[in-house]
Amino acid sequence: MSKVLDRRELHGTIAGFVDDAIAIRQDLHRHPELSWDEHRTSSRVAELLAEWGFHVTTGVGGTGVVGALRRGQGTRAIGIRADMDALPIQEASDLDFASVHKGRMHACGHDGHTAILLAAARYLAESGHFSGTVNLIFQPAEELGQGARRMIEDGLFERFPCDAVYGLHNWPGVPEGKLGFVDGPAMAAVDWLAIRVIGKGGHGAAPHEAVDPVVVAAHLITALQTVVSRSVAPLDSAVVTVGAIHGGDAANVIPDAVEMKLTLRSFREEVRDAIRGRVIDLAHRIAASFGATAEVDVKPGFPSVINHPAETAFARDVARDLFGEDCIIANLAPRTASEDFAYMLQARPGSFLFVGTGDGEPLHSPRYRFNDAVIAPAAAFWARLVETYLTDKPERVSA
């Protein structure tokens, strides 16, 4: 192309093949693949990228795919990431293209993220005007919090250098098609804990002869509700959730042990360390006060997604220019969910943003539905972000 398409031309071009992108998305939805098993998905992605003229590398960090496209003499490079994996959830929708695999579902919209980036890829290949290199990163195993780190360890940014890297996530409850930007911490760090309360089992009719771990666990769960309210400063944020508790098999038997599973979420490392330490201390002390013991197994998760100021401001300006002020949320509130894109932002400057999908079931719900109407605007944003970042007119780049 001899020039960058204006806004109307950009939207019109992408609109011309958005039906194909929706068909791709619905096909991926029908055939969801769990983390590290995204073989069909990655093969389809690689096939399309190669068809459109990208230099394709497969097997990056396992089942990851990177498509690189270079134009002109520019030396700058930008990375755009989409995740590909599904969740171990039984779908409860009546969609014509519902999952054909029992116990597997795209309940987080990664099929949509992949389709959005593929739509942008097609535009960039066929109509994009830029000078430099764009690396499209299709990541596996985000739901396990492992894929980004594995790709980085496999030399992602050495093999495919990026001056900046960007990603997005759809978000139910945010107005349809609006792009939301967050300065600084955008998504929470996460840690997983397993607590085993060990008492002394016995007959339900003689509780005085036992040390009841059910009672201990009940007191511990109540005490854990004070971790955030009494151990975290009011202007900080954190979440402590007990998501599972198991103990005993009969109403008249006091079990020997009760097992609990927790997630901890926070935005600052100081808070992350503090709430983890407080939970561990409470588990041991409360168990001891009842004559029981507690075993605590900590599984560190991944860090907070922290957006870089210049790259976030740049992306916000691109969206404002492309869609207008009314179509963006310049200062969206951070999300307390977690994302392993955090590792990419530790390795390179960049930003993680959100596209609203309107009213609907929340992420990870068996009734969740990705809104295909956001594919076109989100793809247009990725396309214009690349063209603006990889401009041959440096004064247009603020990052």
Side-chain angles (χ1 to χ4, degrees), residues 79-82 165-169 307 339 341 345 350-354 381-382 385:
I80 310 291
R81 174 270 210 173
V165 62
Y166 289 88
L168 66 69
H169 208 293
N307 288 334
E339 241 285 354
F341 189 73
L345 291 180
S351 191
F352 194 73
L353 57 132
F354 302 89
F381 171 75
W382 278 151
L385 183 78

Side-chain angles (χ1 to χ4, degrees), residues 14 17-18 20-22 24-25 28 41 44-46 48-50 52 54 64-69 78-84 109-126 134-140 151 156 162 165-170 341 344 352-353 355 370 372 374-387:
I14 287 182
F17 50 75
V18 74
D20 291 341
I22 291 174
I24 291 169
R25 203 283 293 181
L28 296 178
T41 304
R44 182 65 175 143
V45 167
L48 289 169
L49 291 175
W52 296 329
F54 283 78
V65 179
V66 178
L69 186 64
I78 186 173
I80 310 291
R81 174 270 210 173
D83 37 17
M84 302 185 292
H110 295 186
D111 51 342
H113 303 163
T114 298
I116 288 168
L117 192 52
L118 286 172
R122 182 174 175 182
Y123 170 86
L124 291 168
E126 295 181 2
V134 54
N135 294 310
L136 304 186
I137 303 164
F138 293 85
Q139 181 201 308
M151 292 187 82
L156 174 65
C162 296
V165 62
Y166 289 88
L168 66 69
H169 208 293
N170 79 97
F341 189 73
M344 294 196 181
F352 194 73
L353 57 132
V355 57
F370 182 82
D372 286 329
V374 308
I375 291 178
F381 171 75
W382 278 151
R384 185 47 47 93
L385 183 78
V386 170
E387 290 184 320

Side-chain angles (χ1 to χ4, degrees), residues 178-212:
K178 284 201 173 187
L179 294 177
F181 300 87
V182 185
D183 290 303
M187 298 191 77
V190 62
D191 294 304
W192 292 275
L193 276 73
I195 300 175
R196 179 177 172 85
V197 178
I198 304 169
K200 178 184 176 184
H203 199 295
H208 62 291
E209 296 176 355
V211 177
D212 192 340

Side-chain angles (χ1 to χ4, degrees), residues 26-78:
Q26 293 180 358
D27 175 68
L28 296 178
H29 188 90
R30 185 180 290 110
H31 302 282
E33 295 175 305
L34 301 180
S35 299
W36 301 127
D37 194 35
E38 307 94 339
H39 300 290
R40 181 184 185 275
T41 304
S42 61
S43 294
R44 182 65 175 143
V45 167
E47 176 187 10
L48 289 169
L49 291 175
E51 178 182 323
W52 296 329
F54 283 78
H55 180 270
V56 179
T57 304
T58 60
V60 183
T63 46
V65 179
V66 178
L69 186 64
R70 178 175 174 79
R71 294 267 171 82
Q73 301 301 312
T75 59
R76 289 162 62 89
I78 186 173

Side-chain angles (χ1 to χ4, degrees), residues 145-277:
Q146 299 174 2
R149 175 187 280 181
R150 188 78 64 84
M151 292 187 82
I152 293 169
E153 291 173 347
D154 197 21
L156 174 65
F157 293 123
E158 290 74 33
R159 298 162 66 185
F160 311 96
C162 296
D163 295 297
V165 62
Y166 289 88
L168 66 69
H169 208 293
N170 79 97
W171 212 266
V174 174
E176 179 184 305
K178 284 201 173 187
L179 294 177
F181 300 87
V182 185
D183 290 303
M187 298 191 77
V190 62
D191 294 304
W192 292 275
L193 276 73
I195 300 175
R196 179 177 172 85
V197 178
I198 304 169
K200 178 184 176 184
H203 199 295
H208 62 291
E209 296 176 355
V211 177
D212 192 340
V214 176
V215 173
V216 178
H219 278 267
L220 177 55
I221 290 172
T222 300
L224 290 174
Q225 308 312 305
T226 69
V227 171
V228 175
S229 66
R230 290 298 178 266
S231 298
V232 176
L235 296 182
D236 279 318
S237 297
V239 178
V240 176
T241 296
V242 180
I245 178 169
H246 301 282
D249 297 299
N252 62 343
V253 178
I254 295 172
D256 282 322
V258 169
E259 296 180 350
M260 304 161 56
K261 295 181 180 180
L262 296 75
T263 53
L264 311 182
R265 300 180 191 270
S266 55
F267 291 99
R268 296 198 304 116
E269 282 299 310
E270 296 89 339
V271 175
R272 186 181 184 184
D273 292 340
I275 62 173
R276 185 171 54 230

